[in-house]
Amino acid sequence: MGSGQNRQLNVPVVYLENHKNVGSYRFVQNQRQNIPKAYLKIEPNYSKIERLETINSAVVHGVVGLKNLGNTCYFNTAIHCISHTQPLVDYFLSKAYKINSSCPTSGNITKAFVSLMEQIWDDENCFAESKDFKQLVQGQKLKPYNKCINPIKLLNLLQKYSKRFALGDQEDCQELLSYLLDLLHQELNRSQPNSKSITKDYTGEYIDPKWAADSWGEHLKINRSIIVDLFQGQLKSTCQCQECGFQSHKFEPFLFLNLPIPKQKVSIYKCLDLFQEPELLSGSCQWKCPKCKINRDFKKQIQLWKLPNQLIIHLKRFEFHHRKQVKLNTVVEFPLELDMAQYCVDQAISCYQLYAVAQHDGSSYGGHYVALCKAQNNNWYMYNDDQVFRIQDVKKMVQNEYAYMLFYQRYDNIYRQTLNKPEAWPHFRLPKISQTTHLMVQTDRKSQDSSPNQLESTPLDNQTGVISQQRSQQDIKFNSIA
């Protein structure tokens, strides 16, 4: 397995054979090369995870194909994308994890996943890209260079716990990844057995940021793992009665940002706007207003509140139309660098860089998945099951109508989410320069009656309806640790 130390080893040297927008590799010969560190060492009791910097080396780790075991491209694509999530790779290769002894799966998924990561990132599977191949290959007949790994152990376990992922069946890449991350979270959950949390609803026209922090603390009582540290953010859901204007707010965690897409060409920012648009619900979908005490038409709005370190965006290309599932082949324009400043509240760092894309080519009844991922050397690679290609034109290959899941990361330190250190929560890691970037609370009130829960003595941002008084993390106190 690769390590965090630089050393010398014999590795295959390959050169690139160009084919329009991608290039395939041809094997030249084994040469002794300086091998860079494959991962950043993380301690089991980490409080902070730093980013592994870009490696300026001809030798590449982690660029390995996966064998297709019969319509398992959806599984391979999910694994390729998640295996390029560097902090997660660092965590597992460092053996920083501890299995939750109360988990019914006994840590089997984690062990199989770690074993697969070790194979992908093993020194035996790294190679060096040649820059002077013309001299090296003169007079030689070169064979294609392809290395692949059989992921059957992990796939068999996933099938054991969920029959829907049986060999030979075509399944959804996003649903597989969601299931895998959920199992990893359960097996690595640091919370105490039998811990309990309280789901709270908050009322009032104006939003107190303390509500979001309180809700995050309740969530952490029963959910603390590397999956939470890396992938989970927070949403705010608001219901507003159309008769009296009463508002109820709830703050909930999210793992995937599931964005709706229209039928015409659109930007990712328009999809984000659509996600946060208020929805009017009436008829059989009415809501029992706590103030009116009867069912009323209401507006529901979901807004981003806090963003995770690793942001996974799922473009909802599959929908039901007249009881039939159809696929939307809309071109969604998305940048390599995503600015989310206007979509979150006082986030310390809100700029993201794209590092992986899961693509789907086909219809709702069948198709094929491939992964496009950026390696440690900043080069992009296409993973088509066991075949690996170097991407030459990143914009053309990555940003097209096939994009299904987008993987973004912030180049910021990652902090362990615990109950006894709320200063590490995203709610208290605010920008150095205070800005009024709060989200507007949409109101359409017929009555201007004040809510009894409104905090009248607290200063308000007149433009946003969000309480602007800064709160100290000392306001949030919990007795548990981990």
Side-chain angles (χ1 to χ4, degrees):
M1 188 186 76
S3 73
Q5 303 298 322
N6 293 328
R7 57 234 178 272
Q8 281 199 341
L9 288 174
N10 286 327
V11 299
V13 178
V14 299
Y15 83 89
L16 202 62
E17 186 176 67
N18 289 319
H19 303 283
K20 293 184 179 180
N21 301 314
V22 298
S24 59
Y25 285 114
R26 295 284 173 174
F27 176 69
V28 180
Q29 61 186 14
N30 286 320
Q31 288 184 8
R32 196 162 185 81
Q33 298 276 339
N34 289 321
I35 308 298
K37 57 184 180 181
Y39 63 93
L40 184 69
K41 180 68 175 178
I42 296 175
E43 298 300 325
N45 60 343
Y46 70 92
S47 60
K48 180 174 70 174
I49 299 176
E50 297 180 351
R51 292 287 185 180
L52 182 64
E53 296 180 359
T54 300
I55 295 175
N56 184 19
S57 173
V59 178
V60 183
H61 280 95
V63 182
V64 186
L66 294 174
K67 185 178 180 180
N68 191 312
L69 303 173
N71 288 331
T72 58
C73 60
Y74 70 95
F75 169 85
N76 291 344
T77 295
I79 295 299
H80 281 307
C81 291
I82 207 67
S83 70
H84 282 76
T85 303
Q86 191 63 50
L88 190 68
V89 172
D90 296 344
Y91 174 80
F92 283 120
L93 296 188
S94 298
K95 303 289 187 182
Y97 60 90
K98 181 180 179 181
I99 302 296
N100 182 351
S101 59
S102 63
C103 182
T105 53
S106 305
N108 293 328
I109 294 295
T110 298
K111 295 170 187 175
F113 183 79
V114 171
S115 176
L116 184 56
M117 291 300 102
E118 289 175 342
Q119 293 179 68
I120 291 174
W121 287 86
D122 197 302
D123 287 339
E124 295 296 322
N125 290 319
C126 70
F127 63 87
E129 293 183 332
S130 173
K131 295 181 179 179
D132 54 353
F133 64 88
K134 289 184 178 179
Q135 297 176 17
L136 291 171
V137 305
Q138 188 174 4
Q140 298 181 33
K141 185 177 180 181
L142 301 176
K143 60 181 180 180
Y145 178 81
N146 274 316
K147 271 199 171 183
C148 72
I149 294 169
N150 190 334
I152 186 65
K153 183 177 179 181
L154 177 59
L155 187 56
N156 279 344
L157 281 171
L158 290 172
Q159 293 165 356
K160 176 182 177 181
Y161 298 122
S162 178
K163 302 301 181 183
R164 65 167 302 176
F165 300 117
L167 282 175
D169 293 343
Q170 296 192 33
E171 296 295 341
D172 186 273
C173 179
Q174 186 268 337
E175 292 178 2
L176 180 280
L177 182 58
S178 177
Y179 182 65
L180 172 61
L181 292 178
D182 184 60
L183 286 178
L184 289 173
H185 165 67
Q186 292 178 35
E187 294 187 350
L188 301 171
N189 196 347
R190 302 187 296 263
S191 66
Q192 300 298 320
N194 302 319
S195 298
K196 296 181 180 180
S197 68
I198 301 173
T199 301
K200 299 179 180 179
D201 288 348
Y202 302 90
T203 60
E205 181 181 354
Y206 298 100
I207 308 301
D208 185 344
K210 185 176 179 293
W211 298 345
D214 282 338
S215 298
W216 188 251
E218 290 295 330
H219 175 62
L220 293 181
K221 285 182 179 180
I222 58 174
N223 295 283
R224 300 193 297 279
S225 72
I226 186 65
I227 305 302
V228 175
D229 297 343
L230 294 181
F231 297 103
Q232 286 197 351
Q234 191 178 45
L235 299 173
K236 178 180 73 70
S237 175
T238 298
C239 293
Q240 181 183 34
C241 178
Q242 291 302 100
E243 183 64 28
C244 70
F246 179 89
Q247 290 186 14
S248 176
H249 313 280
K250 182 179 292 186
F251 295 85
E252 298 175 302
F254 73 92
L255 184 64
F256 291 82
L257 192 54
N258 302 304
L259 297 186
I261 57 176
K263 295 183 179 181
Q264 67 275 15
K265 185 177 180 180
V266 69
S267 75
I268 191 73
Y269 294 109
K270 178 60 177 178
C271 294
L272 286 163
D273 292 337
L274 290 173
F275 175 78
Q276 299 196 130
E277 273 190 357
E279 179 184 10
L280 179 62
L281 298 173
S282 58
S284 60
C285 297
Q286 282 186 328
W287 171 58
K288 187 173 182 178
C289 174
K291 187 175 181 180
C292 298
K293 306 298 182 183
I294 60 174
N295 290 340
R296 295 288 195 189
D297 292 352
F298 72 103
K299 276 187 179 179
K300 182 176 182 180
Q301 184 178 26
I302 298 176
Q303 295 173 300
L304 285 164
W305 196 261
K306 292 299 178 182
L307 296 170
N309 291 283
Q310 312 290 140
L311 177 62
I312 306 178
I313 296 178
H314 168 223
L315 301 176
K316 297 170 67 175
R317 293 197 175 276
F318 299 101
E319 66 177 23
F320 280 93
H321 185 67
H322 297 303
R323 299 184 179 180
K324 291 184 179 180
Q325 192 179 53
V326 296
K327 183 190 175 187
L328 298 174
N329 291 310
T330 305
V331 175
V332 179
E333 295 180 333
F334 54 91
L336 298 181
E337 294 189 1
L338 181 68
D339 185 1
M340 295 289 289
Q342 62 178 314
Y343 296 100
C344 57
V345 177
D346 282 342
Q347 197 89 24
I349 296 179
S350 56
C351 291
Y352 288 79
Q353 289 195 356
L354 187 74
Y355 70 93
V357 178
Q359 293 186 343
H360 180 268
D361 183 13
S363 68
S364 59
Y365 299 101
H368 185 63
Y369 287 98
V370 297
L372 292 78
C373 308
K374 185 168 70 171
Q376 290 178 344
N377 60 0
N378 263 344
N379 290 332
W380 281 82
Y381 298 87
M382 174 189 283
Y383 298 88
N384 185 4
D385 291 325
D386 60 340
Q387 294 182 306
V388 180
F389 303 92
R390 166 83 174 276
I391 297 175
Q392 305 296 301
D393 189 334
V394 175
K395 185 175 181 180
K396 186 171 183 178
M397 294 300 297
V398 173
Q399 299 168 302
N400 54 39
E401 70 272 22
Y402 304 117
Y404 184 51
M405 282 194 294
L406 312 177
F407 295 75
Y408 283 95
Q409 63 184 359
R410 282 200 313 242
Y411 279 93
D412 185 20
N413 293 328
I414 297 162
Y415 293 88
R416 187 187 187 100
Q417 297 298 290
T418 69
L419 290 172
N420 64 333
K421 290 185 178 180
E423 62 268 21
W425 298 0
H427 306 74
F428 301 115
R429 296 189 62 249
L430 302 179
K432 292 182 180 179
I433 300 176
S434 180
Q435 297 177 345
T436 55
T437 57
H438 303 293
L439 298 174
M440 178 72 74
V441 178
Q442 302 289 338
T443 59
D444 182 17
R445 303 185 60 184
K446 294 184 178 180
S447 170
Q448 296 298 321
D449 293 339
S450 298
S451 166
N453 290 0
Q454 182 174 322
L455 303 179
E456 297 179 357
S457 61
T458 306
L460 302 175
D461 186 317
N462 293 330
Q463 293 183 346
T464 65
V466 179
I467 294 177
S468 58
Q469 178 182 358
Q470 290 189 350
R471 300 274 183 168
S472 167
Q473 60 266 21
Q474 299 301 322
D475 293 341
I476 314 296
K477 295 181 181 180
F478 294 95
N479 296 321
S480 302
I481 62 173

